[in-house]
Amino acid sequence: MTVLDDRTTAATWPAAYPQGYAVVDVETTGLARDDRIVSAAVYRLDARGNVEDHWYTLVNPERDPGPVWIHGLTSDVLEGAPLFTEIAAEFAARLDGRVLVAHNAMFDWQMIAREYARAQSAAPVRQRLCTIALAKELSLPLPNHKLESLAAHFGVVQQRAHNALDDARVLAEAFRPSLHAAAERNVRLPLLECRPLTEWASTPAQPRAGHPSSYRAGGWRPSRKRPACPYPNPGRYESDKPLKQGMRVAFSGDTSIDRELLEDRTVEAGLHVATSVSRLTSLLVTNDPDSATSKTLKARSFGTPVVDEAAYTQLLRDVTPADG
């Protein structure tokens, strides 16, 4: 493993690289549109990845905290925390003019964008960089794309997984040598545009028959229709590996998260929502695998992998980018 330091000279540092980064981690009540941030952390880095300062806050989500067994934040802990509207300005100041860096950056950016949309504002972020995508650009020999694997590769000690402050620290420490390796090899940084949400819905959406709505008054909705999946199908899901962009995911039966929201979250992760099960289907999500629906029967006959909703929502947190 090669870890570079500040001996990387100005002459070798690509001029096109950004001048500052905001390494971010947010913990949330879940993965759906109406889920909320419960904690957030930002490490501000200069152009070469050196830490300038860091910031952390709890956030009162004004609802059940969700998977306490993951983030460890109970309702009692969050009750006295500030609302997002109360920390939005400080959060924005720490993001302003910088590239947002996160592990699975699409997830963190979308949760942040939604919170600002609810606050009838927008985060001052124009570009994001996913450290999973950067690891792929650098061809790092990682067993998987989990943060713990990236940290282990660079010798960074993770103390409290799924604690926003520690996860952001770990990522900042792992990002710096990644950035230096990219600069030494003149590797293009995988920067993507961030488009803040701007459309605000003052009334909840009407639920479909048989599906309770996850919207509330003052909720939001995106201004664009769901796009088609732009990635090729990489094949079937394997239980010891993460999901990969382009996989075809089918759903069967009732889900605790509104089906439309779950499907939108699937598309936002770069996956394809399949309306039926075929030999090309990568995965079937169902909470009742023993049911005799046409989808579960076809899944059995084709040998299509099956997972329940809880397992699937966790898999959505760590979707591997498509092969570039």
Side-chain angles (χ1 to χ4, degrees):
M1 150 178 104
T2 299
V3 178
L4 302 179
D5 57 28
D6 284 328
R7 288 174 294 181
T8 305
T9 67
T12 62
W13 200 268
Y17 277 26
Q19 293 304 302
Y21 305 89
V23 177
V24 173
D25 186 75
V26 297
E27 296 301 317
T28 67
T29 62
L31 304 173
R33 282 185 184 176
D34 65 339
D35 277 304
R36 307 297 301 272
I37 290 175
V38 294
S39 64
V42 181
Y43 269 73
R44 289 196 290 191
L45 312 182
D46 66 16
R48 292 171 179 266
N50 299 308
V51 175
E52 296 177 335
D53 59 28
H54 65 269
W55 172 80
Y56 170 74
T57 185
L58 297 176
V59 183
N60 186 339
E62 302 179 277
R63 54 158 290 176
D64 183 275
V68 174
W69 60 92
I70 295 177
H71 53 61
L73 300 175
T74 64
S75 295
D76 289 342
V77 170
L78 296 171
E79 184 178 3
L83 303 178
F84 187 85
T85 51
E86 296 172 319
I87 59 94
E90 176 70 11
F91 199 177
R94 294 181 175 276
L95 300 174
D96 194 17
R98 297 170 185 265
V99 172
L100 184 150
V101 177
H103 203 66
N104 192 9
M106 179 175 59
F107 173 78
D108 293 82
W109 164 245
Q110 289 175 346
M111 295 304 298
I112 292 167
R114 289 167 183 165
E115 289 287 8
Y116 276 97
R118 293 184 187 98
Q120 303 186 57
S121 183
V125 179
R126 296 295 171 262
Q127 290 181 306
R128 67 179 184 268
L129 188 157
C130 180
T131 47
I132 296 175
L134 181 57
K136 292 190 66 175
E137 291 284 346
L138 295 172
S139 300
L140 298 183
L142 305 178
N144 53 54
H145 293 287
K146 294 181 178 180
L147 177 58
E148 62 190 53
S149 297
L150 183 66
H153 176 76
F154 288 113
V156 180
V157 177
Q158 192 171 24
Q159 298 172 346
R160 296 180 62 191
H162 299 297
N163 171 273
L165 182 60
D166 195 59
D167 280 355
R169 175 193 62 81
V170 167
L171 189 58
E173 292 184 19
F175 176 63
R176 183 171 181 269
S178 299
L179 181 63
H180 281 243
E184 183 187 55
R185 292 157 50 183
N186 201 27
V187 170
R188 177 191 64 84
L189 296 181
L191 300 174
L192 294 176
E193 180 185 4
C194 289
R195 297 181 179 179
L197 298 169
T198 56
E199 186 171 337
W200 180 259
S202 59
T203 57
Q206 293 298 316
R208 294 177 295 147
H211 293 271
S213 174
S214 294
Y215 286 92
R216 295 181 188 83
W220 67 274
R221 63 187 178 204
S223 58
R224 295 185 304 275
K225 291 184 178 180
R226 199 169 67 198
C229 183
Y231 308 112
N233 184 359
R236 288 184 171 178
Y237 164 71
E238 298 179 43
S239 60
D240 60 339
K241 297 180 180 179
L243 294 171
K244 190 170 188 177
Q245 288 181 329
M247 283 186 170
R248 299 175 64 91
V249 180
F251 299 89
S252 178
D254 291 333
T255 52
S256 59
I257 298 174
D258 180 88
R259 175 68 65 80
E260 185 176 354
L261 300 181
L262 190 57
E263 290 179 354
D264 281 353
R265 179 71 186 91
T266 297
V267 171
E268 289 165 357
L271 305 169
H272 173 87
V273 174
T275 56
S276 61
V277 174
S278 71
R279 296 183 187 278
L280 298 176
T281 305
S282 305
L283 180 69
L284 175 66
V285 179
T286 178
N287 290 324
D288 189 8
D290 297 323
S291 65
T293 67
S294 61
K295 290 180 181 178
T296 55
L297 292 174
K298 286 183 178 180
R300 287 180 212 147
S301 66
F302 295 143
T304 303
V306 178
V307 301
D308 64 20
E309 180 185 359
Y312 180 66
T313 55
Q314 289 305 306
L315 287 170
L316 278 176
R317 295 177 66 95
D318 190 25
V319 178
T320 302
D323 294 329

